[in-house]
Amino acid sequence: MREQLMERAVQVLERNYQEGGFTIPCEGLYPFQWKWDSGFIALGFAYFDMEKAKKEIETLLQSQWENGFIPHIIFHNDSDTYFPGADFHQSHLHPQSNKNFPSTGMTQPPVTGFVLERLLEISKHSEDMIGFIKKHIDKVYQNHVYFYEHRDVENDGLVYIYHNWESGTDNSPIWDDIWDTMNPPEYEFERRDTSHVDPAQRPSKREYDHYLYIIDIAKKYNYEDSKIAAHSPFLVIDPLFNSMLIRSNEALIKLYDLFGGSQDKVDYLKSKQAMGIESLNSKLYNKELGAYVHFDQRNNKQIPYVCSSSFAPLYSGAPTNQQAQSLVNTMLAKFGDEGRYLCASFDPTHDRFNPRKYWRGPVWINLNWMLYHGLQRYGFEEVAKQVKADSLELISKNGFYEYFDSRKDNPDGPLNGYGGNNFSWSAALLIDFLNENP
Ligand code: DGY
């Protein structure tokens, strides 16, 4: 079974790989290169085609802006199967944008640092990979510098996101309270996502109005970070985004230490790292909930709901052992019911939970992959094993879907897989799960 699954996963990645040297998340629904998808995808390729793994990262980094920013979508090609495309986003408005690669003017979680570290492990420290990382690591470093110099408004080592699409958890119920503070116009546009996927599994039209409106505000200010920080109605400190930044910092520090000769960069990252960890634990940790939560920087308050991002700090190593234990207790109490696969994307005991709708409840393989490694990091071997076994079962029973119903007895069944099919990161991370301990 392992061989069959591996073979199918390899096929998914091969089919989604494009001539331009990047891999689409899936056909039709997502026809371009996405930033965090790229990182996870590279890990899958690394086990059977290292050239493609390197190309994926290289192509992503080519899209970097002069200020170090790396966009969330890079529109390498034309496609009329996706909205909103390059003509809506207009990245050229920013004076330092990359004029060779039309893109969005927003970013996505910074996974590239820890991906480089894992590529090195998978390659068993090959000379070739060392050369590749040495050639590209400064670009990733510059991306982190961009975050700290432009998005750390409180100078506390935590960086803001200004759009829900930057979080990666697009339509999480976390954002509902923020939508209540806004009243965007009713946009007229043609949805493309709902022609590929059942609308019951996607965000609503009214949610899209909010998404477009925030982009319009950013465009009004030519995507200038300080103006966005001053005016965007959405300004959030996200535990998932910041955990990935912290974990990627850790990876960059380790890699620079290994190669030597970059003490200034190591010192910079270490000072940001120490502040970031301290602030994550003071600003985002919610003791009553036993979980990290999002912080609404615009309205200066925590958003007190538990979702899978709440446990992502385990992967960063930021929590104390006591906090880590509380996280696991909360995960098992709220998400770990016997009838459920771990780990739903939103609190299944909450009335905003929706088992079928994108980031409002379904299980996502990339979050499970990070939780697995985070749980292992703190020695929670049994729960880690369960997260991995659940991930493998969901894929082997249903296929390489984008997300999955967490209910084992799914009354809407028989299929538990939702969203796009033949989804690249589900395939890539399954490959990593099956081959781990490289
Ligand atoms: C979408 O279009 O839903 C994407 O996830 C945005 O990143």
Side-chain angles (χ1 to χ4, degrees):
M1 188 190 84
R2 182 187 180 279
E3 271 65 44
Q4 267 177 348
L5 262 182
M6 264 296 286
E7 217 171 282
R8 281 166 54 208
V10 167
Q11 267 175 18
V12 168
L13 289 185
E14 293 283 26
R15 284 193 191 144
N16 286 342
Y17 187 79
Q18 306 293 299
E19 266 182 17
F22 67 95
T23 310
I24 55 170
C26 77
E27 215 181 305
L29 187 60
Y30 306 119
F32 312 108
Q33 185 176 32
W34 262 257
K35 180 186 180 193
W36 75 328
D37 294 68
S38 251
F40 296 123
I41 288 166
L43 295 184
F45 272 121
Y47 289 95
F48 67 97
D49 189 341
M50 198 53 104
E51 289 310 308
K52 286 201 179 118
K54 289 190 294 182
K55 191 72 192 157
E56 186 73 39
I57 299 298
E58 194 174 79
T59 308
L60 175 77
L61 295 177
Q62 273 169 2
S63 74
Q64 187 162 40
W65 294 9
E66 279 167 40
N67 60 357
F69 175 89
I70 299 176
H72 123 272
I73 306 176
I74 302 114
F75 300 107
H76 292 286
N77 45 291
D78 290 330
S79 171
D80 58 7
T81 69
Y82 183 84
F83 174 85
D87 51 344
F88 187 88
H89 285 281
Q90 299 179 19
S91 56
H92 61 83
L93 290 171
H94 192 287
Q96 291 179 301
S97 62
N98 189 321
K99 302 300 181 290
N100 297 324
F101 296 95
S103 70
T104 60
M106 67 179 83
T107 189
Q108 252 185 340
V111 302
T112 323
F114 67 74
V115 166
L116 288 185
E117 181 191 345
R118 194 153 182 86
L119 288 178
L120 186 65
E121 286 166 12
I122 297 169
S123 80
K124 302 194 167 55
H125 288 240
S126 75
E127 281 305 316
D128 181 61
M129 185 51 73
I130 291 174
F132 176 81
I133 295 175
K134 279 187 176 166
K135 188 166 162 204
H136 293 94
I137 189 171
D138 284 352
K139 290 189 179 173
V140 184
Y141 171 79
Q142 288 307 335
N143 188 228
H144 288 210
V145 173
Y146 158 80
F147 283 124
Y148 291 121
E149 301 305 320
H150 296 275
R151 289 198 177 208
D152 179 359
V153 275
E154 302 270 287
N155 197 20
D156 62 358
L158 297 178
V159 304
Y160 73 76
I161 54 171
Y162 82 84
H163 198 288
N164 52 301
W165 280 339
E166 291 199 313
S167 70
T169 60
D170 300 4
N171 70 336
S172 171
I174 303 288
W175 320 131
D176 293 3
D177 293 355
I178 300 179
W179 305 148
D180 286 345
T181 68
M182 294 167 57
N183 188 21
E186 296 265 359
Y187 282 81
E188 274 186 36
F189 60 94
E190 198 187 325
R191 286 283 286 275
R192 301 294 160 96
D193 57 325
T194 44
S195 64
H196 308 290
V197 171
D198 179 350
Q201 298 167 19
R202 293 287 304 174
S204 68
K205 155 74 171 68
R206 192 62 186 140
E207 280 171 303
Y208 260 76
D209 287 337
H210 292 84
Y211 306 171
L212 300 181
Y213 182 58
I214 308 172
I215 298 171
D216 270 342
I217 293 173
K219 274 161 38 183
K220 181 169 148 199
Y221 297 109
N222 297 329
Y223 289 115
E224 192 183 320
D225 297 295
S226 59
K227 297 266 171 55
I228 289 174
H231 299 286
S232 176
F234 186 110
L235 206 73
V236 169
I237 312 294
D238 181 326
L240 173 64
F241 196 101
N242 280 283
S243 295
M244 292 202 198
L245 184 60
I246 291 171
R247 179 65 189 82
S248 279
N249 272 340
E250 181 182 59
L252 293 184
I253 291 168
K254 194 167 150 192
L255 292 169
Y256 276 130
D257 275 344
L258 195 70
F259 304 145
S262 299
Q263 200 50 47
D264 51 336
K265 292 176 189 145
V266 170
D267 291 345
Y268 179 87
L269 291 173
K270 278 190 174 162
S271 74
K272 297 296 178 189
Q273 185 78 336
M275 271 203 297
I277 290 175
E278 200 184 314
S279 305
L280 192 85
N281 285 337
S282 54
K283 192 167 179 171
L284 302 195
Y285 188 68
N286 182 310
K287 213 168 166 189
E288 273 102 74
L289 290 171
Y292 291 82
V293 296
H294 294 68
F295 190 88
D296 179 348
Q297 188 72 38
R298 174 62 64 236
N299 299 295
N300 200 28
K301 57 177 189 200
Q302 283 192 346
I303 309 174
Y305 307 116
V306 186
C307 59
S308 50
S309 304
S310 300
F311 309 119
L314 288 169
Y315 185 52
S316 76
T320 61
N321 287 339
Q322 208 180 359
Q323 283 170 322
Q325 182 64 61
S326 301
L327 290 179
V328 173
N329 294 346
T330 303
M331 186 193 289
L332 294 179
K334 284 183 182 291
F335 297 65
D337 190 276
E338 261 188 20
R340 268 186 206 292
Y341 293 106
L342 282 174
C343 177
S345 47
F346 190 72
D347 181 354
T349 66
H350 197 284
D351 58 11
R352 287 185 186 174
F353 174 76
N354 179 335
R356 302 174 70 205
K357 217 174 183 47
Y358 208 34
W359 287 96
R360 300 182 76 88
V363 177
W364 287 75
I365 299 301
N366 65 332
L367 257 295
N368 269 15
W369 184 88
M370 277 180 279
L371 296 185
Y372 169 74
H373 287 285
L375 289 161
Q376 275 207 326
R377 180 173 187 150
Y378 283 87
F380 296 104
E381 291 296 336
E382 285 309 307
V383 195
K385 256 193 222 153
Q386 193 187 332
V387 170
K388 177 170 169 175
D390 286 357
S391 308
L392 296 181
E393 185 172 325
L394 281 166
I395 294 175
S396 59
K397 277 197 172 155
N398 301 287
F400 294 93
Y401 275 90
E402 185 183 3
Y403 40 97
F404 301 88
D405 204 304
S406 61
R407 297 169 298 177
K408 290 188 178 162
D409 267 327
N410 177 5
D412 307 328
L415 198 66
N416 277 46
Y418 301 138
N421 195 358
N422 298 318
F423 193 74
S424 292
W425 81 32
S426 300
L429 295 176
L430 172 118
I431 294 174
D432 190 74
F433 267 140
L434 290 179
N435 290 281
E436 64 163 323
N437 305 325

